[in-house]
Amino acid sequence: MGKIWDEKSIREVFEELDKSTGLSGAELPIYFGNAKGTLGCFIIKNGPAFRFSDHWFKNSEWPVESALDVIRHEYAHYMDWSENGYTSHGSSWKTCCIRVGAVPSRLYSEGRSEYYKNKHKKEEDRLAHLNKYKTGQAIEHPQYGTGIITVLDKKERSIIARVDFGVKGIKALDLGWIDCNCTIE
Ligand SMILES: [Zn+2]
C-alpha cells in the first residue's frame, strides 16, 4: 500500500522536518526525473534543490516508508550542507540522518522495501479476514456477554467496532481483538 507523491506532499514532509531543524528545506525547488537507479538527490549546482524519481514516487506499489526514507535521506544532505558545508555520506551527514529519522546508510535498500511490502500485505490479509463482521451482528464477549455490533470504523491499520452490550453499555473494541476473544452468535 503506497501512495502517489507529488511536489505538495513531499513539501509537507519537508515542512515537518523544518519545524524540528529550524531550516527552510520546504522552500527549495523540487524537481522530478525518471531515473530508476537514483531515487532522489540533493543538488547544489545552480542553488540548492531536490530531485526525486517519478519511477518510484509515482508508483503506488512502492511503500510509503521507503519514500519517507528517501525524502529524509535527501533532507539530511541539505541539512549537512547548510549546517556543515558537507555533501558526502560522512559522519556529519549520518548525524543529520539520525536527527531527521532517516536510515544512515548510503544506498537505498530493496530489502527494506520488500519488508514493508510484506508487512502491508499481511495487514491487508488480516483486515480481509475481518470482513465477516457486519453491523447488526451479535457477538459473545467473555466478560460483557452478548452484544450487537452497531458501528464498524475502519482506520488505516485496524477496525474499531462499537458494540452495544445493553445494560453493560456500549464499548469500543478492536475488531482484531474481538476476533481472537469473542465468538459470533
Ligand atoms: Zn545520499
Side-chain angles (χ1 to χ4, degrees):
M1 213 187 316
K3 68 181 258 183
I4 302 290
W5 291 85
D6 59 9
E7 186 179 332
K8 183 171 171 285
S9 48
I10 292 173
R11 222 172 264 292
E12 282 167 5
V13 177
F14 285 151
E15 278 166 13
E16 280 306 307
L17 296 174
D18 281 345
K19 277 184 204 162
S20 65
T21 63
L23 297 171
S24 311
E27 289 167 24
L28 300 185
I30 295 173
Y31 304 116
F32 290 93
N34 264 313
K36 279 187 199 175
T38 309
L39 289 90
C41 57
F42 172 63
I43 308 162
I44 46 168
K45 67 171 182 193
N46 308 323
F50 295 100
R51 189 173 68 223
F52 295 100
S53 165
D54 267 347
H55 177 78
W56 297 94
F57 280 81
K58 298 285 189 282
N59 173 0
S60 65
E61 298 285 296
W62 193 46
V64 168
E65 291 88 345
S66 297
L68 286 171
D69 266 353
V70 174
I71 294 169
R72 291 176 187 143
H73 176 118
E74 300 313 329
Y75 187 91
H77 278 304
Y78 156 68
M79 198 175 159
D80 191 29
W81 174 77
S82 304
E83 295 185 346
N84 311 303
Y86 291 128
T87 57
S88 68
H89 294 102
S91 62
S92 61
W93 173 76
K94 284 181 180 156
T95 303
C96 292
C97 283
I98 290 160
R99 279 172 60 198
V100 299
V103 179
S105 106
R106 180 194 174 123
L107 292 171
Y108 169 69
S109 155
E110 278 292 334
R112 278 175 68 82
S113 179
E114 281 305 308
Y115 162 80
Y116 287 125
K117 260 189 205 162
N118 290 335
K119 183 162 169 273
H120 292 171
K121 179 78 175 63
K122 272 192 201 133
E123 277 159 4
E124 276 167 34
D125 289 349
R126 188 169 61 83
L127 293 184
H129 165 68
L130 299 175
N131 277 341
K132 63 185 177 192
Y133 292 93
K134 310 283 179 211
T135 54
Q137 191 160 23
I139 59 159
E140 185 70 21
H141 187 284
Q143 203 179 334
Y144 305 129
T146 302
I148 307 289
I149 297 175
T150 57
V151 178
L152 287 170
D153 188 9
K154 282 200 182 192
K155 308 280 185 198
E156 200 179 339
R157 301 265 187 261
S158 64
I159 302 171
I160 303 299
R162 285 178 69 81
V163 186
D164 187 346
F165 291 102
V167 291
K168 302 254 170 75
I170 296 169
K171 315 281 179 195
L173 302 168
D174 182 277
L175 200 53
W177 187 91
I178 289 176
D179 197 47
C180 293
N181 295 284
C182 302
T183 49
I184 300 180
E185 291 265 288

